[in-house]
Amino acid sequence: MAWQEILVEINHCNKCGFCLPTCPTYQITGSELASPRGRIAMVEALARSEIPVGVGLEEALTYCLDCRACETACPSGVPYHRILEAGRDQLWRERPATQRSPWIVRQALGAVTRPRRLARFTRWARRWQKVPLPASLRQFFPMLRPQQPLPPAPRNVPEAIYAAQFFAGCMMSAVFPEANRAAQHLLTMAAVAVHTPRTQTCCGALHWHSGDAEKARQLARQNIAAFEGTTDLIVNTAGGCGAMLMEYGEVLADDPVWAERARQFSARICDWATVFLRYGQEVSLVGEGERVTLQNSCHLVNVEKAGEDAVAVLERVAGDTFVPLPSQNRCCGSAGTYSLVHTDWALQILDQKMAEVETQRPDRILVNNPGCHLQMQWGTTRREKTQRLTVEHLANYVYRAAWKGLQQQSGASTT
Ligand code: SF4
Ligand code: SF4
């Protein structure tokens, strides 16, 4: 987007500050430069050539989580993310190619486009998790704990009344494949037939948010081509991926060949919980008498607007008690590669979240995004009272409840 267009967007900001209380980085610093309003002012100064690309601008823009909470509070409808992306894009282009991203981010970006290698690493790390290592070594593996096994695939599923395509995602298929399986089984039980196109790839969210727009566009084109030929909804299990896929229309808006195809693709994106709740047949869900809480992915809430559907599915589980966190929809500090680069701030945000978890005393923390999953697992290890808490994807938990619901139904029909 040209600077002139960005300045038009910036002009909609009346500097009211309503967005400030929603911003996690403003909450931990109290600094205007770590707030949405301050960041918009910095990008405006850059667009008007009043400041150079330098340390101040770099800090203001890279310390933003891009969680989009500020957009939901803005009475003027300022599209903050476009302003941020324009500023980050300028930062990316002005850096020498070798210094565009820190080493750790380059590794993460490389890993997500090679999911097989990532899956091998995950299996290796989980094996080491079972080995009694000294505490100094164990601290490197808490985020890759073995997952609680899922029940087997359901038999005698109903005839499909609806069809959807499945976006697997690189992190979800490599690190948390059980959650994808659970969501697919749940949809099948709800009479939704699921098809997974083979030529799909990473959604490109990490590249896009790190400033590598060209690589993100390349991945977007591959995904659009992979899912064409039908008008079925495209479901996914990761809030971050879903939000990115939903914005391919914006990502490729200036590409005359792909813009319309991208808009059509984005209009079909839907979280698995929304399809399960609104398009499928009702499935009986029975819990284990636990207290459960949810860390809703901020992109699922603020961009996909599907956070309430995740809660609604959770509230259908009979016999369990849902204990919401006061800041259920606020970012946990993971934010793509943010926790790798700005670990100090990410941990401050995470510790606030874990203090809330402690007061709610859940048996289980549920998540709907792989970054949040790793971050919340990290959070549980940081406090004595939460160290034994299970963190798992919402789909795993709901699938177990659906299996128990099935068993109860078959028990009732034989008595
Ligand atoms: S995107 Fe999130 S971290 Fe960034 S300014 Fe908005 S609320 Fe703050
Ligand atoms: S972005 Fe919106 S809420 Fe924030 S200061 Fe500007 S107008 Fe106000």
Side-chain angles (χ1 to χ4, degrees):
M1 205 185 267
W3 278 128
Q4 266 185 340
E5 289 172 54
I6 291 296
L7 282 169
V8 171
E9 307 280 24
I10 288 174
N11 275 341
H12 291 126
C13 174
N14 58 26
K15 322 251 183 298
C16 65
F18 286 169
C19 51
L20 268 59
T22 66
C23 175
T25 57
Y26 181 73
Q27 282 170 9
I28 58 166
T29 62
S31 160
E32 179 73 15
L33 276 183
S35 79
R37 185 174 61 188
R39 290 174 175 131
I40 291 171
M42 291 295 271
V43 176
E44 181 174 15
L46 177 71
R48 296 189 191 285
S49 305
E50 291 165 5
I51 55 167
V53 169
V55 177
L57 181 77
E58 182 104 15
E59 270 193 23
L61 301 192
T62 60
Y63 273 88
C64 171
L65 296 148
D66 205 2
C67 67
R68 314 270 289 264
C70 47
E71 291 185 355
T72 64
C74 178
S76 310
V78 174
Y80 170 81
H81 68 285
R82 284 192 212 142
I83 298 166
L84 175 73
E85 277 150 20
R88 284 186 172 174
D89 192 45
Q90 184 75 11
L91 286 179
W92 173 272
R93 280 190 275 113
E94 297 220 1
R95 283 188 208 131
T98 51
Q99 294 168 19
R100 281 186 172 152
S101 12
W103 178 86
I104 188 79
V105 173
R106 290 202 300 277
Q107 301 314 305
L109 296 185
V112 293
T113 46
R114 294 186 195 89
R116 281 196 193 147
R117 197 183 290 184
L118 188 58
R120 272 202 302 277
F121 170 75
T122 305
R123 283 196 295 275
W124 173 81
R126 283 192 176 146
R127 230 180 354 256
W128 276 94
Q129 185 76 31
K130 293 176 191 161
V131 177
L133 296 170
S136 56
L137 285 177
R138 283 187 70 80
Q139 65 175 314
F140 294 106
F141 296 102
M143 293 177 280
L144 293 166
R145 286 183 202 152
Q147 295 286 290
Q148 192 174 334
L150 286 180
R155 290 189 191 153
N156 306 326
V157 290
E159 197 173 326
I161 55 167
Y162 200 81
Q165 290 185 305
F166 196 83
F167 180 81
C170 51
M171 279 286 282
M172 289 308 298
S173 47
V175 185
F176 301 109
E178 316 81 11
N180 276 353
R181 274 203 302 280
Q184 289 172 346
H185 291 332
L186 282 164
L187 290 169
T188 315
M189 289 168 87
V192 178
V194 182
H195 168 65
T196 308
R198 283 183 177 276
T199 51
Q200 61 180 288
T201 184
C202 166
C203 68
L206 290 188
H207 302 83
W208 184 250
H209 299 307
S210 305
D212 189 355
E214 212 27 66
K215 180 69 181 175
R217 290 193 187 100
Q218 181 196 323
L219 296 168
R221 292 185 193 103
Q222 184 174 335
N223 279 324
I224 293 166
F227 284 85
E228 275 177 337
T230 162
T231 54
D232 293 345
L233 288 177
I234 301 167
V235 297
N236 71 91
T237 52
C241 300
M244 179 67 189
L245 300 172
M246 202 170 249
E247 294 198 327
Y248 277 2
E250 272 188 32
V251 170
L252 291 167
D254 296 331
D255 184 327
V257 177
W258 289 85
E260 183 50 33
R261 289 163 76 179
R263 268 193 294 278
Q264 287 178 14
F265 173 92
S266 289
R268 294 163 54 204
I269 303 302
C270 212
D271 187 59
W272 75 272
T274 301
V275 174
F276 181 71
L277 189 74
R278 298 176 189 274
Y279 296 86
Q281 286 177 3
E282 188 159 342
V283 175
S284 163
L285 304 173
V286 179
E288 303 280 347
E290 291 184 327
R291 288 166 68 87
V292 295
T293 196
L294 172 70
Q295 168 54 31
N296 235 342
S297 148
C298 46
H299 278 190
L300 186 89
V301 172
N302 301 330
V303 184
E304 284 194 79
K305 312 287 185 200
E308 286 176 9
D309 288 342
V311 173
V313 170
L314 186 49
E315 286 178 333
R316 270 204 197 166
V317 179
D320 279 0
T321 309
F322 170 47
V323 283
L325 298 177
S327 68
Q328 172 175 278
N329 295 342
R330 196 173 65 213
C331 181
C332 59
S334 168
T337 56
Y338 190 93
S339 59
L340 299 176
V341 185
H342 302 305
T343 310
D344 47 351
W345 287 28
L347 288 179
Q348 285 184 57
I349 294 165
L350 177 62
D351 286 343
Q352 286 181 348
K353 186 73 73 179
M354 296 315 296
E356 290 184 0
V357 170
E358 253 183 42
T359 61
Q360 295 300 68
R361 295 178 291 103
D363 300 303
R364 200 175 284 275
I365 303 173
L366 303 173
V367 291
N368 40 23
N369 187 55
C372 310
H373 198 146
L374 296 174
Q375 182 82 344
M376 294 304 285
Q377 281 193 180
W378 192 4
T380 59
T381 65
R382 289 172 60 78
R383 303 169 83 92
E384 208 186 325
K385 285 188 185 160
T386 56
Q387 271 180 359
R388 292 186 180 278
L389 269 183
T390 299
V391 181
E392 73 174 352
H393 196 282
L394 174 65
N396 294 29
Y397 164 78
V398 177
Y399 183 53
R400 230 177 276 114
W403 191 260
K404 192 159 181 201
L406 260 187
Q407 284 177 325
Q408 277 199 357
Q409 278 173 349
S410 60
S413 64
T414 52
T415 52

